[in-house]
Amino acid sequence: DALPILQTKADRLVQKSICTSLARKFPLLTVIGEEDLPLSDVEEELIEAGHSEEVLKHSCPAQYRGIKEEELVVWVDPLDGTKEYTEGLLDHVTVLIGIAYEGKAIAGVINQPYYNYQAGNDAVLGRTIWGVLGLGSFGFQLKEVPDGKHIITTTRSHSNKLVNDCIAAMNPDKVVRVGGAGNKIIQLIEGQASAYVFASLGCKKWDTCAPEAVLHAVGGKLTDIHGNAFQYHKDRKS
């Protein structure tokens, strides 16, 4: 049986903040969020009008400088790992913003709002990982799994026989089960896993666009079960 699709107040508020802020600053953008919400009647305190000086220190790759605003599609998952969020597993939770051009994920942001939440009062809470093809990915320390180790990360809460059979056929040394597509990609880029396997339906374009861009920007690859690239045209949500 299909699991219920959870939606919290946090999902709705975060999406309103991101999508409305982008729409105001870039009115020709196509912005697609996971939740079906209107952009009207959004509280002003939710609007973000600033920008990151740190990010703007980097030069945009030459192949993207001529892109027009209306040619971009932004995919937003306001709370990736909602089930884990409701269970208090806050380190699994991410906010995902992916940018696609001509159907290809070219840039992405993975925000971990609760990163370090168990590290004590002196720890800095939260972090933002971001990447652009042709530029690289930032906000984390790129690592690989130890030599000779084959570690798979997969779903914590949406497993089934096919997923488990596929993983077993790979004979991994270890299986890391975590929530959220963004969190799974973090496992890869920080050397906690060498492959992300989810041989099942369920992932949407707002789940994969941002993580794919971050992963591809450091030399990784994300595809469907047949090895085909994902397409992020605005009319293809799954």
PDB file of all heavy atoms in Angstrom, residues 135-170:
ATOM      1  N   LEU A 135      31.399  24.980 -12.289  1.00  0.00           N
ATOM      2  CA  LEU A 135      31.982  25.823 -11.243  1.00  0.00           C
ATOM      3  C   LEU A 135      32.426  24.987 -10.044  1.00  0.00           C
ATOM      4  O   LEU A 135      33.500  25.197  -9.487  1.00  0.00           O
ATOM      5  CB  LEU A 135      30.969  26.883 -10.797  1.00  0.00           C
ATOM      6  CG  LEU A 135      31.434  27.876  -9.730  1.00  0.00           C
ATOM      7  CD1 LEU A 135      32.583  28.727 -10.274  1.00  0.00           C
ATOM      8  CD2 LEU A 135      30.266  28.781  -9.302  1.00  0.00           C
ATOM      9  N   GLY A 136      31.603  24.021  -9.648  1.00  0.00           N
ATOM     10  CA  GLY A 136      31.904  23.191  -8.493  1.00  0.00           C
ATOM     11  C   GLY A 136      30.806  23.270  -7.457  1.00  0.00           C
ATOM     12  O   GLY A 136      29.785  23.922  -7.652  1.00  0.00           O
ATOM     13  N   SER A 137      31.021  22.586  -6.337  1.00  0.00           N
ATOM     14  CA  SER A 137      30.076  22.601  -5.219  1.00  0.00           C
ATOM     15  C   SER A 137      30.783  23.063  -3.962  1.00  0.00           C
ATOM     16  O   SER A 137      31.977  22.791  -3.759  1.00  0.00           O
ATOM     17  CB  SER A 137      29.462  21.211  -5.009  1.00  0.00           C
ATOM     18  OG  SER A 137      28.613  20.875  -6.095  1.00  0.00           O
ATOM     19  N   PHE A 138      30.027  23.712  -3.074  1.00  0.00           N
ATOM     20  CA  PHE A 138      30.616  24.416  -1.944  1.00  0.00           C
ATOM     21  C   PHE A 138      29.770  24.200  -0.677  1.00  0.00           C
ATOM     22  O   PHE A 138      28.625  23.774  -0.739  1.00  0.00           O
ATOM     23  CB  PHE A 138      30.722  25.906  -2.263  1.00  0.00           C
ATOM     24  CG  PHE A 138      31.419  26.190  -3.569  1.00  0.00           C
ATOM     25  CD1 PHE A 138      30.705  26.220  -4.763  1.00  0.00           C
ATOM     26  CD2 PHE A 138      32.788  26.396  -3.609  1.00  0.00           C
ATOM     27  CE1 PHE A 138      31.340  26.464  -5.970  1.00  0.00           C
ATOM     28  CE2 PHE A 138      33.433  26.641  -4.809  1.00  0.00           C
ATOM     29  CZ  PHE A 138      32.711  26.675  -5.996  1.00  0.00           C
ATOM     30  N   GLY A 139      30.383  24.492   0.475  1.00  0.00           N
ATOM     31  CA  GLY A 139      29.665  24.416   1.738  1.00  0.00           C
ATOM     32  C   GLY A 139      29.851  23.115   2.483  1.00  0.00           C
ATOM     33  O   GLY A 139      29.173  22.861   3.483  1.00  0.00           O
ATOM     34  N   PHE A 140      30.793  22.278   2.030  1.00  0.00           N
ATOM     35  CA  PHE A 140      31.054  20.991   2.670  1.00  0.00           C
ATOM     36  C   PHE A 140      32.464  20.553   2.303  1.00  0.00           C
ATOM     37  O   PHE A 140      33.115  21.153   1.449  1.00  0.00           O
ATOM     38  CB  PHE A 140      30.043  19.936   2.195  1.00  0.00           C
ATOM     39  CG  PHE A 140      30.193  19.596   0.728  1.00  0.00           C
ATOM     40  CD1 PHE A 140      30.882  18.464   0.331  1.00  0.00           C
ATOM     41  CD2 PHE A 140      29.675  20.435  -0.256  1.00  0.00           C
ATOM     42  CE1 PHE A 140      31.045  18.163  -1.006  1.00  0.00           C
ATOM     43  CE2 PHE A 140      29.840  20.150  -1.597  1.00  0.00           C
ATOM     44  CZ  PHE A 140      30.523  19.009  -1.973  1.00  0.00           C
ATOM     45  N   GLN A 141      32.933  19.491   2.940  1.00  0.00           N
ATOM     46  CA  GLN A 141      34.248  18.938   2.644  1.00  0.00           C
ATOM     47  C   GLN A 141      34.068  17.672   1.808  1.00  0.00           C
ATOM     48  O   GLN A 141      33.534  16.679   2.297  1.00  0.00           O
ATOM     49  CB  GLN A 141      35.000  18.607   3.929  1.00  0.00           C
ATOM     50  CG  GLN A 141      36.416  18.085   3.727  1.00  0.00           C
ATOM     51  CD  GLN A 141      37.349  19.117   3.112  1.00  0.00           C
ATOM     52  OE1 GLN A 141      37.379  20.265   3.535  1.00  0.00           O
ATOM     53  NE2 GLN A 141      38.097  18.720   2.099  1.00  0.00           N
ATOM     54  N   LEU A 142      34.461  17.703   0.553  1.00  0.00           N
ATOM     55  CA  LEU A 142      34.298  16.551  -0.328  1.00  0.00           C
ATOM     56  C   LEU A 142      35.184  15.393   0.134  1.00  0.00           C
ATOM     57  O   LEU A 142      36.390  15.554   0.320  1.00  0.00           O
ATOM     58  CB  LEU A 142      34.665  16.938  -1.766  1.00  0.00           C
ATOM     59  CG  LEU A 142      34.495  15.849  -2.834  1.00  0.00           C
ATOM     60  CD1 LEU A 142      33.037  15.451  -2.980  1.00  0.00           C
ATOM     61  CD2 LEU A 142      35.064  16.337  -4.175  1.00  0.00           C
ATOM     62  N   LYS A 143      34.568  14.226   0.315  1.00  0.00           N
ATOM     63  CA  LYS A 143      35.305  13.038   0.750  1.00  0.00           C
ATOM     64  C   LYS A 143      34.830  11.826  -0.029  1.00  0.00           C
ATOM     65  O   LYS A 143      33.740  11.835  -0.612  1.00  0.00           O
ATOM     66  CB  LYS A 143      35.096  12.787   2.253  1.00  0.00           C
ATOM     67  CG  LYS A 143      35.630  13.879   3.163  1.00  0.00           C
ATOM     68  CD  LYS A 143      35.363  13.537   4.626  1.00  0.00           C
ATOM     69  CE  LYS A 143      35.854  14.632   5.547  1.00  0.00           C
ATOM     70  NZ  LYS A 143      35.540  14.328   6.978  1.00  0.00           N
ATOM     71  N   GLU A 144      35.631  10.781  -0.026  1.00  0.00           N
ATOM     72  CA  GLU A 144      35.248   9.514  -0.628  1.00  0.00           C
ATOM     73  C   GLU A 144      35.243   8.434   0.438  1.00  0.00           C
ATOM     74  O   GLU A 144      35.893   8.567   1.479  1.00  0.00           O
ATOM     75  CB  GLU A 144      36.221   9.129  -1.746  1.00  0.00           C
ATOM     76  CG  GLU A 144      36.194  10.092  -2.933  1.00  0.00           C
ATOM     77  CD  GLU A 144      37.063   9.617  -4.084  1.00  0.00           C
ATOM     78  OE1 GLU A 144      37.592   8.485  -3.996  1.00  0.00           O
ATOM     79  OE2 GLU A 144      37.221  10.377  -5.061  1.00  0.00           O
ATOM     80  N   VAL A 145      34.500   7.364   0.188  1.00  0.00           N
ATOM     81  CA  VAL A 145      34.475   6.253   1.142  1.00  0.00           C
ATOM     82  C   VAL A 145      35.860   5.614   1.176  1.00  0.00           C
ATOM     83  O   VAL A 145      36.646   5.737   0.232  1.00  0.00           O
ATOM     84  CB  VAL A 145      33.416   5.197   0.748  1.00  0.00           C
ATOM     85  CG1 VAL A 145      32.023   5.797   0.785  1.00  0.00           C
ATOM     86  CG2 VAL A 145      33.714   4.615  -0.622  1.00  0.00           C
ATOM     87  N   PRO A 146      36.190   4.926   2.268  1.00  0.00           N
ATOM     88  CA  PRO A 146      37.494   4.256   2.340  1.00  0.00           C
ATOM     89  C   PRO A 146      37.697   3.280   1.183  1.00  0.00           C
ATOM     90  O   PRO A 146      36.750   2.660   0.704  1.00  0.00           O
ATOM     91  CB  PRO A 146      37.421   3.515   3.684  1.00  0.00           C
ATOM     92  CG  PRO A 146      36.435   4.294   4.495  1.00  0.00           C
ATOM     93  CD  PRO A 146      35.421   4.788   3.512  1.00  0.00           C
ATOM     94  N   ASP A 147      38.936   3.160   0.726  1.00  0.00           N
ATOM     95  CA  ASP A 147      39.256   2.250  -0.374  1.00  0.00           C
ATOM     96  C   ASP A 147      38.762   0.832  -0.070  1.00  0.00           C
ATOM     97  O   ASP A 147      38.941   0.319   1.035  1.00  0.00           O
ATOM     98  CB  ASP A 147      40.770   2.212  -0.603  1.00  0.00           C
ATOM     99  CG  ASP A 147      41.283   3.496  -1.231  1.00  0.00           C
ATOM    100  OD1 ASP A 147      40.453   4.253  -1.773  1.00  0.00           O
ATOM    101  OD2 ASP A 147      42.499   3.738  -1.162  1.00  0.00           O
ATOM    102  N   GLY A 148      38.151   0.240  -1.081  1.00  0.00           N
ATOM    103  CA  GLY A 148      37.703  -1.143  -0.946  1.00  0.00           C
ATOM    104  C   GLY A 148      36.343  -1.310  -0.299  1.00  0.00           C
ATOM    105  O   GLY A 148      35.823  -2.435  -0.230  1.00  0.00           O
ATOM    106  N   LYS A 149      35.742  -0.230   0.171  1.00  0.00           N
ATOM    107  CA  LYS A 149      34.439  -0.311   0.827  1.00  0.00           C
ATOM    108  C   LYS A 149      33.330   0.014  -0.171  1.00  0.00           C
ATOM    109  O   LYS A 149      33.427   0.962  -0.941  1.00  0.00           O
ATOM    110  CB  LYS A 149      34.369   0.651   2.008  1.00  0.00           C
ATOM    111  CG  LYS A 149      35.238   0.249   3.193  1.00  0.00           C
ATOM    112  CD  LYS A 149      34.710  -1.020   3.847  1.00  0.00           C
ATOM    113  CE  LYS A 149      35.509  -1.383   5.080  1.00  0.00           C
ATOM    114  NZ  LYS A 149      35.009  -2.630   5.714  1.00  0.00           N
ATOM    115  N   HIS A 150      32.273  -0.772  -0.124  1.00  0.00           N
ATOM    116  CA  HIS A 150      31.115  -0.555  -0.985  1.00  0.00           C
ATOM    117  C   HIS A 150      29.910  -0.299  -0.079  1.00  0.00           C
ATOM    118  O   HIS A 150      29.336  -1.230   0.490  1.00  0.00           O
ATOM    119  CB  HIS A 150      30.885  -1.781  -1.878  1.00  0.00           C
ATOM    120  CG  HIS A 150      29.754  -1.636  -2.848  1.00  0.00           C
ATOM    121  ND1 HIS A 150      29.474  -0.450  -3.482  1.00  0.00           N
ATOM    122  CD2 HIS A 150      28.835  -2.536  -3.287  1.00  0.00           C
ATOM    123  CE1 HIS A 150      28.426  -0.627  -4.282  1.00  0.00           C
ATOM    124  NE2 HIS A 150      28.014  -1.879  -4.173  1.00  0.00           N
ATOM    125  N   ILE A 151      29.555   0.955   0.072  1.00  0.00           N
ATOM    126  CA  ILE A 151      28.501   1.352   1.005  1.00  0.00           C
ATOM    127  C   ILE A 151      27.360   1.980   0.220  1.00  0.00           C
ATOM    128  O   ILE A 151      27.571   2.899  -0.580  1.00  0.00           O
ATOM    129  CB  ILE A 151      29.029   2.355   2.050  1.00  0.00           C
ATOM    130  CG1 ILE A 151      30.234   1.760   2.787  1.00  0.00           C
ATOM    131  CG2 ILE A 151      27.934   2.738   3.041  1.00  0.00           C
ATOM    132  CD1 ILE A 151      30.950   2.744   3.704  1.00  0.00           C
ATOM    133  N   ILE A 152      26.163   1.494   0.447  1.00  0.00           N
ATOM    134  CA  ILE A 152      24.977   1.993  -0.257  1.00  0.00           C
ATOM    135  C   ILE A 152      24.092   2.773   0.706  1.00  0.00           C
ATOM    136  O   ILE A 152      23.848   2.340   1.832  1.00  0.00           O
ATOM    137  CB  ILE A 152      24.185   0.833  -0.879  1.00  0.00           C
ATOM    138  CG1 ILE A 152      24.957   0.247  -2.064  1.00  0.00           C
ATOM    139  CG2 ILE A 152      22.792   1.286  -1.319  1.00  0.00           C
ATOM    140  CD1 ILE A 152      24.303  -0.971  -2.680  1.00  0.00           C
ATOM    141  N   THR A 153      23.614   3.920   0.252  1.00  0.00           N
ATOM    142  CA  THR A 153      22.590   4.642   1.003  1.00  0.00           C
ATOM    143  C   THR A 153      21.268   4.496   0.267  1.00  0.00           C
ATOM    144  O   THR A 153      21.213   4.488  -0.968  1.00  0.00           O
ATOM    145  CB  THR A 153      22.950   6.129   1.193  1.00  0.00           C
ATOM    146  OG1 THR A 153      21.974   6.749   2.051  1.00  0.00           O
ATOM    147  CG2 THR A 153      23.021   6.889  -0.114  1.00  0.00           C
ATOM    148  N   THR A 154      20.196   4.355   1.032  1.00  0.00           N
ATOM    149  CA  THR A 154      18.877   4.164   0.444  1.00  0.00           C
ATOM    150  C   THR A 154      17.820   4.700   1.386  1.00  0.00           C
ATOM    151  O   THR A 154      18.122   5.269   2.439  1.00  0.00           O
ATOM    152  CB  THR A 154      18.624   2.683   0.112  1.00  0.00           C
ATOM    153  OG1 THR A 154      17.433   2.570  -0.686  1.00  0.00           O
ATOM    154  CG2 THR A 154      18.474   1.850   1.373  1.00  0.00           C
ATOM    155  N   THR A 155      16.571   4.497   0.994  1.00  0.00           N
ATOM    156  CA  THR A 155      15.454   5.043   1.736  1.00  0.00           C
ATOM    157  C   THR A 155      15.319   4.433   3.135  1.00  0.00           C
ATOM    158  O   THR A 155      15.579   3.248   3.336  1.00  0.00           O
ATOM    159  CB  THR A 155      14.133   4.833   0.964  1.00  0.00           C
ATOM    160  OG1 THR A 155      13.058   5.387   1.697  1.00  0.00           O
ATOM    161  CG2 THR A 155      13.877   3.350   0.710  1.00  0.00           C
ATOM    162  N   ARG A 156      14.915   5.253   4.057  1.00  0.00           N
ATOM    163  CA  ARG A 156      14.630   4.803   5.410  1.00  0.00           C
ATOM    164  C   ARG A 156      13.174   4.405   5.568  1.00  0.00           C
ATOM    165  O   ARG A 156      12.856   3.460   6.299  1.00  0.00           O
ATOM    166  CB  ARG A 156      14.978   5.917   6.405  1.00  0.00           C
ATOM    167  CG  ARG A 156      14.538   5.643   7.831  1.00  0.00           C
ATOM    168  CD  ARG A 156      14.798   6.832   8.741  1.00  0.00           C
ATOM    169  NE  ARG A 156      14.181   6.604  10.039  1.00  0.00           N
ATOM    170  CZ  ARG A 156      12.937   6.949  10.348  1.00  0.00           C
ATOM    171  NH1 ARG A 156      12.178   7.539   9.437  1.00  0.00           N
ATOM    172  NH2 ARG A 156      12.451   6.698  11.541  1.00  0.00           N
ATOM    173  N   SER A 157      12.279   5.107   4.887  1.00  0.00           N
ATOM    174  CA  SER A 157      10.847   4.958   5.172  1.00  0.00           C
ATOM    175  C   SER A 157       9.992   4.534   3.978  1.00  0.00           C
ATOM    176  O   SER A 157       8.775   4.385   4.119  1.00  0.00           O
ATOM    177  CB  SER A 157      10.296   6.280   5.732  1.00  0.00           C
ATOM    178  OG  SER A 157      10.603   7.359   4.873  1.00  0.00           O
ATOM    179  N   HIS A 158      10.600   4.338   2.791  1.00  0.00           N
ATOM    180  CA  HIS A 158       9.819   3.970   1.608  1.00  0.00           C
ATOM    181  C   HIS A 158      10.388   2.722   0.930  1.00  0.00           C
ATOM    182  O   HIS A 158      10.369   2.601  -0.292  1.00  0.00           O
ATOM    183  CB  HIS A 158       9.777   5.130   0.610  1.00  0.00           C
ATOM    184  CG  HIS A 158       9.095   6.343   1.121  1.00  0.00           C
ATOM    185  ND1 HIS A 158       9.737   7.295   1.879  1.00  0.00           N
ATOM    186  CD2 HIS A 158       7.810   6.758   1.013  1.00  0.00           C
ATOM    187  CE1 HIS A 158       8.875   8.251   2.206  1.00  0.00           C
ATOM    188  NE2 HIS A 158       7.707   7.951   1.696  1.00  0.00           N
ATOM    189  N   SER A 159      10.853   1.785   1.717  1.00  0.00           N
ATOM    190  CA  SER A 159      11.468   0.594   1.151  1.00  0.00           C
ATOM    191  C   SER A 159      10.403  -0.410   0.708  1.00  0.00           C
ATOM    192  O   SER A 159       9.240  -0.350   1.115  1.00  0.00           O
ATOM    193  CB  SER A 159      12.409  -0.062   2.161  1.00  0.00           C
ATOM    194  OG  SER A 159      13.278  -0.958   1.515  1.00  0.00           O
ATOM    195  N   ASN A 160      10.815  -1.320  -0.157  1.00  0.00           N
ATOM    196  CA  ASN A 160       9.943  -2.426  -0.574  1.00  0.00           C
ATOM    197  C   ASN A 160      10.832  -3.586  -1.024  1.00  0.00           C
ATOM    198  O   ASN A 160      12.064  -3.488  -0.990  1.00  0.00           O
ATOM    199  CB  ASN A 160       8.986  -1.978  -1.693  1.00  0.00           C
ATOM    200  CG  ASN A 160       9.708  -1.409  -2.902  1.00  0.00           C
ATOM    201  OD1 ASN A 160      10.762  -1.910  -3.302  1.00  0.00           O
ATOM    202  ND2 ASN A 160       9.153  -0.357  -3.491  1.00  0.00           N
ATOM    203  N   LYS A 161      10.218  -4.674  -1.448  1.00  0.00           N
ATOM    204  CA  LYS A 161      10.984  -5.869  -1.805  1.00  0.00           C
ATOM    205  C   LYS A 161      11.940  -5.598  -2.967  1.00  0.00           C
ATOM    206  O   LYS A 161      13.094  -6.061  -2.946  1.00  0.00           O
ATOM    207  CB  LYS A 161      10.043  -7.013  -2.166  1.00  0.00           C
ATOM    208  CG  LYS A 161      10.760  -8.342  -2.427  1.00  0.00           C
ATOM    209  CD  LYS A 161       9.773  -9.449  -2.712  1.00  0.00           C
ATOM    210  CE  LYS A 161      10.501 -10.795  -2.844  1.00  0.00           C
ATOM    211  NZ  LYS A 161      11.509 -10.803  -3.928  1.00  0.00           N
ATOM    212  N   LEU A 162      11.490  -4.856  -3.978  1.00  0.00           N
ATOM    213  CA  LEU A 162      12.352  -4.576  -5.121  1.00  0.00           C
ATOM    214  C   LEU A 162      13.588  -3.788  -4.705  1.00  0.00           C
ATOM    215  O   LEU A 162      14.712  -4.109  -5.114  1.00  0.00           O
ATOM    216  CB  LEU A 162      11.567  -3.792  -6.184  1.00  0.00           C
ATOM    217  CG  LEU A 162      12.363  -3.368  -7.421  1.00  0.00           C
ATOM    218  CD1 LEU A 162      12.947  -4.579  -8.137  1.00  0.00           C
ATOM    219  CD2 LEU A 162      11.475  -2.555  -8.361  1.00  0.00           C
ATOM    220  N   VAL A 163      13.387  -2.758  -3.896  1.00  0.00           N
ATOM    221  CA  VAL A 163      14.519  -1.957  -3.416  1.00  0.00           C
ATOM    222  C   VAL A 163      15.499  -2.842  -2.650  1.00  0.00           C
ATOM    223  O   VAL A 163      16.717  -2.800  -2.888  1.00  0.00           O
ATOM    224  CB  VAL A 163      14.024  -0.796  -2.526  1.00  0.00           C
ATOM    225  CG1 VAL A 163      15.217  -0.094  -1.867  1.00  0.00           C
ATOM    226  CG2 VAL A 163      13.218   0.204  -3.339  1.00  0.00           C
ATOM    227  N   ASN A 164      14.981  -3.645  -1.740  1.00  0.00           N
ATOM    228  CA  ASN A 164      15.849  -4.494  -0.922  1.00  0.00           C
ATOM    229  C   ASN A 164      16.550  -5.566  -1.746  1.00  0.00           C
ATOM    230  O   ASN A 164      17.724  -5.879  -1.505  1.00  0.00           O
ATOM    231  CB  ASN A 164      15.029  -5.141   0.200  1.00  0.00           C
ATOM    232  CG  ASN A 164      14.580  -4.135   1.243  1.00  0.00           C
ATOM    233  OD1 ASN A 164      15.242  -3.116   1.459  1.00  0.00           O
ATOM    234  ND2 ASN A 164      13.458  -4.397   1.897  1.00  0.00           N
ATOM    235  N   ASP A 165      15.850  -6.124  -2.728  1.00  0.00           N
ATOM    236  CA  ASP A 165      16.465  -7.142  -3.596  1.00  0.00           C
ATOM    237  C   ASP A 165      17.592  -6.543  -4.429  1.00  0.00           C
ATOM    238  O   ASP A 165      18.644  -7.175  -4.629  1.00  0.00           O
ATOM    239  CB  ASP A 165      15.415  -7.767  -4.516  1.00  0.00           C
ATOM    240  CG  ASP A 165      14.473  -8.726  -3.795  1.00  0.00           C
ATOM    241  OD1 ASP A 165      14.762  -9.053  -2.616  1.00  0.00           O
ATOM    242  OD2 ASP A 165      13.459  -9.130  -4.394  1.00  0.00           O
ATOM    243  N   CYS A 166      17.379  -5.325  -4.936  1.00  0.00           N
ATOM    244  CA  CYS A 166      18.423  -4.663  -5.728  1.00  0.00           C
ATOM    245  C   CYS A 166      19.668  -4.400  -4.885  1.00  0.00           C
ATOM    246  O   CYS A 166      20.796  -4.614  -5.339  1.00  0.00           O
ATOM    247  CB  CYS A 166      17.895  -3.351  -6.292  1.00  0.00           C
ATOM    248  SG  CYS A 166      16.754  -3.545  -7.674  1.00  0.00           S
ATOM    249  N   ILE A 167      19.451  -3.954  -3.671  1.00  0.00           N
ATOM    250  CA  ILE A 167      20.581  -3.674  -2.786  1.00  0.00           C
ATOM    251  C   ILE A 167      21.318  -4.957  -2.430  1.00  0.00           C
ATOM    252  O   ILE A 167      22.552  -5.021  -2.462  1.00  0.00           O
ATOM    253  CB  ILE A 167      20.093  -2.939  -1.520  1.00  0.00           C
ATOM    254  CG1 ILE A 167      19.590  -1.545  -1.884  1.00  0.00           C
ATOM    255  CG2 ILE A 167      21.201  -2.854  -0.480  1.00  0.00           C
ATOM    256  CD1 ILE A 167      18.903  -0.827  -0.758  1.00  0.00           C
ATOM    257  N   ALA A 168      20.564  -6.010  -2.120  1.00  0.00           N
ATOM    258  CA  ALA A 168      21.181  -7.289  -1.762  1.00  0.00           C
ATOM    259  C   ALA A 168      22.007  -7.843  -2.912  1.00  0.00           C
ATOM    260  O   ALA A 168      23.079  -8.437  -2.705  1.00  0.00           O
ATOM    261  CB  ALA A 168      20.099  -8.295  -1.350  1.00  0.00           C
ATOM    262  N   ALA A 169      21.540  -7.645  -4.162  1.00  0.00           N
ATOM    263  CA  ALA A 169      22.255  -8.144  -5.336  1.00  0.00           C
ATOM    264  C   ALA A 169      23.608  -7.467  -5.510  1.00  0.00           C
ATOM    265  O   ALA A 169      24.514  -8.018  -6.145  1.00  0.00           O
ATOM    266  CB  ALA A 169      21.410  -7.942  -6.591  1.00  0.00           C
ATOM    267  N   MET A 170      23.756  -6.275  -4.923  1.00  0.00           N
ATOM    268  CA  MET A 170      25.013  -5.545  -5.017  1.00  0.00           C
ATOM    269  C   MET A 170      26.007  -5.953  -3.945  1.00  0.00           C
ATOM    270  O   MET A 170      27.165  -5.514  -3.976  1.00  0.00           O
ATOM    271  CB  MET A 170      24.739  -4.037  -4.936  1.00  0.00           C
ATOM    272  CG  MET A 170      23.899  -3.527  -6.078  1.00  0.00           C
ATOM    273  SD  MET A 170      23.536  -1.769  -5.924  1.00  0.00           S
ATOM    274  CE  MET A 170      22.507  -1.509  -7.362  1.00  0.00           C
TER     275      MET A 170
END
